[in-house]
Amino acid sequence: MKRILCISLLISLCSLTVLAQEAGNRNYNRNTQRPAPTTGNIGSNNELFIEAYVLLNVAPDEFVAVFGVAAEGPTAVESNQKVNTRIEEFLSAAGGLGIKRADTFIDFITQNRVYNFSTTPSDSTIREVLTGFETKKTVAVRYKDRALLERLVTAAAQSQIFDLIKVDYIVNDMTRVRSRLFEEAIRVVKQKEETYARQLGLVMRRYNIYQETYDTRYPAELYQTYTAYEAGAVESNYDSRTRVVRERKSSTSYLELLDRSPFDAVLNPIGIEPVVQCTLFVRVKYNLA
């Protein structure tokens, strides 16, 4: 009996270990993205609703990276010149990577005064004084090769541009994407219609499309962030003069794509690269005989 209990305990511990390895540190963040499930409800007055929920993973046709550039100077003119010099150096380097000037855009954001505090030796007065100006601009760069981003980031850093604001994923033909989603959704509806008629003996007639809802999720919306650590506890009765200095904890971000389980069909199975996720929910109304 003891041997059986030991074997059972060993199997349980091994199972727990495997689950922990598969879950990973993302368990520190339970805020996962889940699409709304289909309802499959039946209306009143002999009405029936058949629904389809489909997902299409779309590889982007091109990308737009946006960099932030800022510089201070004693005058507004000098701060603007500093920004322009950095941008010009960056665009010249980008040109060496095959980026045309027509695929870039400089957007003037703001130019504002910068203040600091000054003390007077004769008294204890601290005054706020104007110390200069700051100019801010953004540079948008369009490119098609995904691998080019890292080289653009390096070129930007060499020009003292350290702020990569965002990367937009561009799908050029959304009409084609929606057409494919609609075709697949209607195929699912018809398949369910045939199944209900064959398995349940229902006699029904299509009345109209009751609901048609498209949605698009870009990678920037799908990233999750967590901070993984286990912290010690400080007793509440410690000396009030003692300071508690905690270490900085590093956070991690990762791409959490939509869960496949609520969908009736998934087109273009997910690979290892970020994609644009397009969905369609269709509800068709039927009259029952």
Side-chain angles (χ1 to χ4, degrees):
M1 182 67 178
K2 289 183 178 179
R3 183 178 180 182
I4 295 174
L5 289 175
C6 290
I7 293 174
S8 300
L9 180 59
L10 180 60
I11 293 173
S12 299
L13 289 174
C14 290
S15 300
L16 287 173
T17 302
V18 171
L19 287 174
Q21 289 174 340
E22 291 178 348
N25 284 340
R26 87 168 195 175
N27 272 349
Y28 282 88
N29 178 22
R30 290 292 185 179
N31 183 27
T32 56
Q33 299 281 344
R34 293 186 67 90
T38 56
T39 58
N41 56 6
I42 296 179
S44 58
N45 300 323
N46 293 323
E47 296 175 348
L48 170 69
F49 293 99
I50 297 181
E51 302 163 339
Y53 197 22
V54 296
L55 165 66
L56 174 61
N57 295 306
V58 184
D61 298 301
E62 49 190 11
F63 309 86
V64 175
V66 180
F67 295 86
V69 190
E72 294 184 17
T75 66
V77 172
E78 290 179 85
S79 68
N80 187 54
Q81 287 176 342
K82 285 184 179 180
V83 168
N84 289 342
T85 299
R86 294 177 185 178
I87 292 175
E88 183 58 35
E89 290 178 358
F90 171 55
L91 294 181
S92 296
L97 300 176
I99 302 296
K100 299 177 182 179
R101 288 295 178 113
D103 290 325
T104 66
F105 181 78
I106 302 170
D107 190 9
F108 182 91
I109 302 302
T110 186
Q111 188 175 71
N112 53 268
R113 296 177 176 86
V114 177
Y115 291 87
N116 209 333
F117 293 98
S118 175
T119 59
T120 304
S122 58
D123 56 30
S124 59
T125 303
I126 300 177
R127 290 184 173 85
E128 193 174 35
V129 295
L130 177 67
T131 57
F133 294 82
E134 182 183 49
T135 302
K136 295 181 180 179
K137 297 182 182 182
T138 62
V139 183
V141 181
R142 181 170 55 199
Y143 59 97
K144 292 184 178 181
D145 183 4
R146 189 191 297 262
L148 199 60
L149 177 62
E150 189 165 346
R151 299 173 69 183
L152 286 172
V153 171
T154 300
Q158 291 173 344
S159 301
Q160 300 183 56
I161 298 174
F162 308 106
D163 186 10
L164 174 60
I165 298 173
K166 63 174 183 173
V167 177
D168 290 329
Y169 285 58
I170 309 299
V171 176
N172 292 328
D173 193 354
M174 288 301 295
T175 300
R176 180 184 59 83
V177 170
R178 290 194 169 192
S179 177
R180 189 175 178 190
L181 281 169
F182 187 79
E183 290 175 2
E184 183 64 20
I186 297 305
R187 185 195 66 79
V188 171
V189 168
K190 289 181 177 180
Q191 185 181 59
K192 289 184 178 181
E193 177 186 329
E194 293 173 1
T195 301
Y196 293 164
R198 184 177 63 255
Q199 300 291 342
L200 302 175
L202 296 179
V203 179
M204 63 191 84
R205 181 174 59 86
R206 296 190 200 104
Y207 184 73
N208 63 12
I209 295 181
Y210 191 79
Q211 182 179 351
E212 180 182 351
T213 304
Y214 293 91
D215 193 15
T216 303
R217 306 287 183 90
Y218 292 92
E221 306 171 63
L222 297 170
Y223 277 92
Q224 301 289 324
T225 302
Y226 69 87
T227 303
Y229 67 93
E230 301 297 334
V234 179
E235 296 294 335
S236 58
N237 59 350
Y238 67 88
D239 190 333
S240 60
R241 294 171 297 177
T242 302
R243 292 191 308 144
V244 178
V245 180
R246 301 189 184 277
E247 291 288 334
R248 180 179 67 88
K249 280 81 174 180
S250 177
S251 62
T252 300
S253 295
Y254 65 97
L255 184 67
E256 183 74 72
L257 294 173
L258 295 177
D259 184 7
R260 295 164 53 109
S261 59
F263 295 98
D264 295 296
V266 177
L267 306 177
N268 290 355
I270 296 173
I272 60 175
E273 296 180 341
V275 293
V276 179
Q277 296 197 290
C278 302
T279 66
L280 171 61
F281 176 77
V282 169
R283 177 180 291 170
V284 180
K285 182 178 179 181
Y286 290 78
N287 288 332
L288 297 177

